[in-house]
Amino acid sequence: MYKFNKLVMLITLKHRKLNDGRLSLYVEFYKGSSVDENGKRIHIRDFEFLKLYLHNNPKTPAEKKENKEIQKLGENILAIRKAEYVQGKFKIRNTAKDKKRFLDYFSEITEEKINSVNNYGNWTSTLVHLKKVIPQNFLFEEIDENFIKKVKNYIDNEAKTKSDLPLSLNSKYSYFNKFKACLRNAFDEGYLSINYATRVKSFEQSESQREYLTYQELQRLAKASCKYEVLKKAFIFSCLTGLRWSDINALIWSEVREEGEISRVNFRQEKTDGVEYLYISKQAREILGDRKSGQDRVFKGLKYGVSFNNEIVRWCNRAEVNKHITFHSARHTNAVLLLENGADIYTVSKRLGHREIRTTAIYAKIVDQKMKEASELIPQLDLKI
């Protein structure tokens, strides 16, 4: 029978001499000792060999410099391992953070998204639903797998829309993923010792209906009157470039570049926070008008709100476009028109800033369906063969 001595784990950086004379760096995790039934003390250690090697007795300046850099790298890894130990890798919990209320934490994460209109809206909607299933004073120390299952079951079977209808599959997917993102963030910041986000499967995302304009419908829309000139310009610019509303709204003149007769926009994509370089057509550049000072908004006066959204509907009615068109439909329109006119799916995917080609493939299905429909457009012949 073993008797264990309890102590805080010691994590240290050490080296071992190899047969070829080099020194191999490794991290030692010393977990204490035990005494077996014969009275022999046994020390309990784990090791992580870093595959980093020092010169033994370095002679040249180059070897000394290399040793210094490798030693520093080893010390950085050691610091990471110590941080992981504190954050919970070895089941050590921060008792102060245990007492944090989960909904308070989720609210704080939500407010960090306030500058991203669409994303912020999704997070606030998720918070509304979570408040219906999670008690206000529920603490991080109470979180376990049953809690995660309870939240998922609520979203799947009990949560309702404002119209008292069951949530769509895409809404379930979106809300539960926000919940999981919060759990991941909490684990990274030391509020949880277990990353529960990796232990539960998300809802499947359904293939949503993507409304778009045909070339003829877009032409009619371009000729029809719109109450807000800036809205008309921004919408058609989106149809020609595929830019999202958030990126168009944030676009400033310093991001519009001229390269001879070619124009492009260099911008930081709001949704992914990635830097993008997008070439635009001459007609798209003409829509922007005369250049202003660098920090001026290109579409000054463009707003996100009910009045602008309602005007899109009225504008479509004037153009005799009988579809449920939103500003985001302009982005769908760009994708379909590019594919219809010969652009390959990879190029379209890159222009739209999609991370995965399968996202763009949805538009290819639309074009393929239109091709099938076109096969039946020629009237039937009275054949005698």
Side-chain angles (χ1 to χ4, degrees):
M1 184 175 180
Y2 291 86
K3 295 182 180 180
F4 292 91
N5 292 332
K6 293 183 179 179
L7 81 167
V8 176
M9 184 186 297
L10 298 177
I11 307 175
T12 53
L13 182 66
K14 296 188 174 183
H15 59 75
R16 178 178 296 170
K17 189 173 182 179
L18 302 177
N19 291 334
D20 61 7
R22 294 181 301 166
L23 302 176
S24 173
L25 288 179
Y26 65 95
V27 176
E28 179 186 270
F29 303 91
Y30 182 71
K31 301 178 179 180
S33 61
S34 64
V35 178
D36 66 14
E37 56 190 11
N38 297 318
K40 182 179 179 181
R41 183 167 298 280
I42 300 173
H43 295 281
I44 305 167
R45 297 180 175 92
D46 283 334
F47 307 97
E48 179 185 358
F49 293 94
L50 305 181
K51 296 182 180 180
L52 298 175
Y53 307 99
L54 299 171
H55 297 283
N56 192 17
N57 299 319
K59 297 179 176 58
T60 66
E63 288 181 346
K64 291 178 181 179
K65 181 181 178 182
E66 187 177 350
N67 268 18
K68 185 177 180 180
E69 292 173 350
I70 292 174
Q71 180 68 29
K72 183 64 176 177
L73 179 57
E75 290 171 358
N76 288 340
I77 295 174
L78 175 66
I80 292 171
R81 296 297 175 263
K82 287 182 176 180
E84 288 175 340
Y85 171 67
V86 172
Q87 289 182 15
K89 183 176 181 182
F90 298 99
K91 305 294 186 267
I92 301 299
R93 298 185 66 150
N94 185 322
T95 55
K97 290 185 176 182
D98 274 353
K99 305 301 179 184
K100 179 86 171 182
R101 297 193 298 187
F102 178 82
L103 289 178
D104 289 347
Y105 182 78
F106 194 95
S107 297
E108 292 168 7
I109 298 295
T110 299
E111 290 309 307
E112 292 175 4
K113 317 292 182 181
I114 195 168
N115 292 323
S116 178
V117 176
N118 293 334
N119 200 25
Y120 181 66
N122 288 333
W123 277 84
T124 53
S125 296
T126 304
L127 180 58
V128 169
H129 286 289
L130 292 182
K131 285 181 177 179
K132 295 178 181 179
V133 66
I134 302 174
Q136 182 64 40
N137 293 323
F138 188 85
L139 305 177
F140 270 101
E141 67 178 358
E142 301 176 82
I143 292 178
D144 57 19
E145 291 191 21
N146 287 330
F147 164 73
I148 310 300
K149 291 176 182 177
K150 180 181 178 182
V151 172
K152 185 176 184 181
N153 182 66
Y154 168 81
I155 292 175
D156 192 20
N157 300 308
E158 299 177 40
K160 299 290 180 63
T161 66
K162 291 180 180 179
S163 303
D164 200 35
L165 297 172
L167 297 181
S168 68
L169 189 56
N170 278 348
S171 292
K172 294 177 184 180
Y173 173 86
S174 175
Y175 296 155
F176 194 63
N177 275 6
K178 299 296 181 293
F179 173 66
K180 288 180 63 177
C182 180
L183 292 174
R184 277 194 299 272
N185 205 75
F187 172 74
D188 290 341
E189 294 185 352
Y191 289 90
L192 292 169
S193 62
I194 298 173
N195 187 359
Y196 288 103
T198 64
R199 298 193 174 192
V200 61
K201 187 178 180 181
S202 294
F203 292 98
E204 295 293 331
Q205 188 175 22
S206 67
E207 192 171 294
S208 59
Q209 175 68 29
R210 306 207 169 195
E211 203 66 270
Y212 65 95
L213 297 167
T214 65
Y215 173 79
Q216 291 77 14
E217 289 169 337
L218 179 57
Q219 183 65 73
R220 294 205 301 273
L221 209 62
K223 291 182 178 180
S225 63
C226 179
K227 181 178 179 180
Y228 305 105
E229 187 66 23
V230 67
L231 174 62
K232 182 175 184 178
K233 287 183 177 181
F235 184 89
I236 295 176
F237 184 77
S238 181
C239 289
L240 296 178
T241 63
L243 284 178
R244 294 182 178 88
W245 184 92
S246 56
D247 296 321
I248 287 176
N249 186 50
L251 191 64
I252 58 177
W253 278 105
S254 63
E255 295 171 329
V256 180
R257 310 290 176 85
E258 317 288 353
E259 299 177 3
E261 295 184 356
I262 300 174
S263 301
R264 72 176 185 179
V265 290
N266 297 5
F267 65 100
R268 182 172 293 279
Q269 196 173 130
E270 285 281 323
K271 185 173 182 179
T272 64
D273 200 38
V275 177
E276 302 290 340
Y277 308 92
L278 184 72
Y279 286 99
I280 62 175
S281 67
K282 290 182 180 179
Q283 188 171 43
R285 175 61 184 88
E286 288 170 1
I287 288 174
L288 303 183
D290 296 334
R291 179 176 290 278
K292 305 294 190 303
S293 61
Q295 294 305 307
D296 284 351
R297 287 175 60 199
V298 175
F299 293 96
K300 191 174 182 179
L302 186 64
K303 300 175 183 177
Y304 184 85
V306 175
S307 58
F308 273 56
N309 291 338
N310 288 341
E311 179 56 23
I312 292 177
V313 176
R314 291 191 288 266
W315 180 26
C316 287
N317 289 337
R318 296 185 200 109
E320 298 182 353
V321 174
N322 300 315
K323 294 179 177 178
H324 179 61
I325 298 298
T326 64
F327 197 99
H328 199 67
S329 300
R331 183 168 161 84
H332 301 327
T333 298
N334 176 259
V336 173
L337 290 179
L338 285 175
L339 289 168
E340 281 185 335
N341 287 279
D344 64 87
I345 193 169
Y346 177 78
T347 300
V348 175
S349 182
K350 293 294 289 182
R351 283 186 63 84
L352 293 177
H354 289 163
R355 290 181 175 178
E356 297 182 7
I357 198 76
R358 66 180 181 179
T359 306
T360 320
I362 296 171
Y363 300 110
K365 289 182 181 179
I366 293 173
V367 174
D368 187 54
Q369 179 61 33
K370 292 185 69 179
M371 292 286 285
K372 290 177 182 177
E373 293 170 358
S375 68
E376 299 294 337
L377 290 178
I378 300 174
Q380 188 170 350
L381 300 174
D382 184 11
L383 292 175
K384 293 181 181 179
I385 298 177

